[in-house]
Amino acid sequence: MNQRRFELLCAALLGFGQLCIMTGFDSESFILESVIHSIHEREPERISSYAGYYGQAVIYAFYMVGCLFSPSILAVSTPKINLVISAIFFTAFPLGFLFTNSYYYYLSSALLGIGFALFYQGQGGYLTSHSTRDTIESNVSLSWSVGCCCMILGSCIMAVITKLSSDQTDMVLEALNTTSEPHKMERRFSEMEISLLFTAFTGISVIGIVTFFLMPSKDVEDCIESSTEKKESFMSAFKLTCSTMVSSKMVQLIPLFSLCGLNTSFWLSIFPTAMSFTTHNSNLIYLAAVYSFAVGAGEVLMGILISFLSKRIKNFGQKPTMTIGTVCVLIYCALIHLSTVTEAPMRPTHKEPILFHHSYLLALIIGLICGIGDCCINSVRSVICALAMPKRRSQAFSVSKFFQALASCILFFLSPITPLYIYTIGLPVLSIIAAVLFFSIAKRTQKMERKMTEGTRNAAEIGKKLNL
């Protein structure tokens, strides 16, 4: 096998491993609060009714702390070790829903947060050690496209299991000769449906562990950064991360990093919970599956479009992409504001929305726009972290994840008492502020790149004259 095929194989395996561990996490996030609310209603002593929100807050709190130390851990280990450990932590979380227990739930949430930090550092380290400067963009695009199919796969799993469990429920009701009135209650998950869903998510995560364990670990020739040559100690890498956090460029990008966390948490958990808590949607049992499929499709399609246009339009991955992302946030927040009751994320409600009710078509449209916007915002974050501080890429990316996790952590702790309209008004305002500050940093970065290019050309010309 030649080197190029080997690189593509490694990128594809990395993306497949990501698909496996993220299928469970993303799908769980869509329904987590609704699932736990259903468990609490049947057995109040087992777990708190708002443990879905609080558990995700714990995840992002430990993710935030992990981001401070993950570059240091990578400095003394290897990307493959980080990936395997992270996959084990991802698997531990859905496993707990087969025997729901508050203590295990919060412990596995903490481990999942650490797993997040280890995964993203391992992912970046593995790609740079299995790519050259000429192939890094295509390898990242391939890995990312494969990994983002997780939400599409998750939607299929949820649809199939929801169908099976609903058929079983109908048979029981018919046998008991009882009549249900689903329009008077929120979307609820039965014990059987929960067991089937989280068994499937656990099994897929185990495949992710095996995939990461079997991936090739040998560096390719002329790789960007070797995974075996360690240039820093644990403490020196940690100090570098801390100094990066207080640099002027990173401070100016805090609104963008916060937007990444708040935006993702909102469309991944808050809005799906609001749909589940809306009693008018009780007959729309496939709503979460349709929404998940649409988000995944939007992510993948926009990723392909950014990769395609970046090769033809200079700097398309910066200001144009950020503009698209900002517009998408404005549009989907407006649609959610008009179609969702303000108390829906906090408790089951039968109140009327401002303009229109949810439907499968509306969930499809909102999900598609959310996926496109999220892809744009996260893409520009990755690009600016790589370009603004070229000598501290790993640290800059970790700092961005730190503030992203901090924003998500605060959001989930406040979710039980935060009306929906705070999100639908606050996110558009934050996205505009983040875009303005990003444009400033992007302009300065492009000027810096031009100066570096001119300096390299001048040095080359001087070298030619000296040789003559």
Side-chain angles (χ1 to χ4, degrees), residues 58-335:
V58 171
I59 290 172
Y60 285 101
F62 277 83
Y63 179 20
M64 176 182 66
V65 175
C67 287
L68 292 176
F69 296 97
S70 56
S72 303
I73 294 173
L74 183 62
V76 296
S77 63
T78 66
K80 185 173 178 178
I81 292 175
N82 283 23
L83 291 170
V84 172
I85 295 175
S86 69
I88 294 173
F89 289 169
F90 269 87
T91 305
F93 185 75
L95 183 65
F97 283 84
L98 304 182
F99 52 90
T100 308
N101 175 278
S102 290
Y103 297 107
Y104 182 88
Y105 170 70
Y106 286 112
L107 174 62
S108 62
S109 297
L111 292 177
L112 179 54
I114 297 171
F116 253 117
L118 294 177
F119 169 74
Y120 283 116
Q121 280 297 320
Q123 180 192 50
Y126 191 82
L127 282 170
T128 53
S129 65
H130 290 80
S131 305
T132 65
R133 293 192 178 275
D134 294 330
T135 61
I136 182 64
E137 291 184 4
S138 59
N139 290 350
V140 169
S141 177
L142 172 62
S143 177
W144 186 89
S145 297
V146 174
C148 278
C149 292
C150 62
M151 282 180 283
I152 297 176
L153 176 60
S155 69
C156 295
I157 293 172
M158 286 193 290
V160 170
I161 292 178
T162 298
K163 174 64 176 175
L164 293 174
S165 60
S166 65
D167 288 346
Q168 186 68 25
T169 301
D170 291 342
M171 291 173 62
V172 172
L173 290 172
E174 185 177 349
L176 295 174
N177 195 26
T178 59
T179 303
S180 64
E181 297 183 66
H183 62 283
K184 293 185 178 180
M185 64 180 66
E186 75 278 6
R187 169 75 163 95
R188 292 180 179 176
F189 292 81
S190 65
E191 288 286 353
M192 182 183 68
E193 187 174 6
I194 293 171
S195 297
L196 290 174
L197 282 169
F198 286 90
T199 297
F201 296 151
T202 301
I204 294 174
S205 295
V206 170
I207 297 175
I209 297 175
V210 176
T211 301
F212 287 146
F213 182 78
L214 296 178
M215 285 195 313
S217 56
K218 182 181 178 181
D219 297 344
V220 300
E221 187 177 352
D222 297 326
C223 64
I224 296 175
E225 188 172 353
S226 174
S227 62
T228 56
E229 295 179 6
K230 304 302 176 184
K231 300 178 181 179
E232 299 172 323
S233 65
F234 182 93
M235 285 307 300
S236 62
F238 177 70
K239 291 177 181 178
L240 192 60
T241 301
C242 292
S243 64
T244 303
M245 183 177 294
V246 296
S247 65
S248 60
K249 289 182 179 179
M250 290 294 104
V251 170
Q252 193 168 340
L253 289 171
I254 287 178
L256 174 61
F257 302 152
S258 300
L259 177 64
C260 289
L262 296 175
N263 180 59
T264 301
S265 299
F266 178 69
W267 65 254
L268 189 63
S269 182
I270 305 299
F271 177 59
T273 298
M275 288 195 292
S276 295
F277 278 178
T278 301
T279 57
H280 294 288
N281 298 337
S282 57
N283 288 323
L284 304 175
I285 60 175
Y286 301 107
L287 201 59
V290 171
Y291 176 72
S292 175
F293 176 86
V295 173
E299 294 268 11
V300 173
L301 291 174
M302 193 63 207
I304 294 172
L305 184 63
I306 291 174
S307 178
F308 177 80
L309 292 179
S310 294
K311 297 176 182 178
R312 290 157 178 78
I313 302 175
K314 187 176 181 181
N315 296 321
F316 178 82
Q318 297 183 46
K319 292 181 181 180
T321 300
M322 184 65 199
T323 302
I324 295 172
T326 302
V327 171
C328 285
V329 172
L330 297 176
I331 294 174
Y332 89 71
C333 282
L335 291 174

Side-chain angles (χ1 to χ4, degrees), residues 22-73:
M22 290 296 182
T23 292
F25 174 76
D26 287 340
S27 301
E28 291 155 7
S29 298
F30 286 125
I31 61 175
L32 187 58
E33 175 57 29
S34 301
V35 166
I36 288 181
H37 197 83
S38 299
I39 296 173
H40 173 79
E41 287 187 330
R42 288 191 291 269
E43 300 179 70
E45 71 284 353
R46 249 175 116 181
I47 197 164
S48 166
S49 62
Y50 289 114
Y53 285 145
Y54 293 139
Q56 290 182 88
V58 171
I59 290 172
Y60 285 101
F62 277 83
Y63 179 20
M64 176 182 66
V65 175
C67 287
L68 292 176
F69 296 97
S70 56
S72 303
I73 294 173

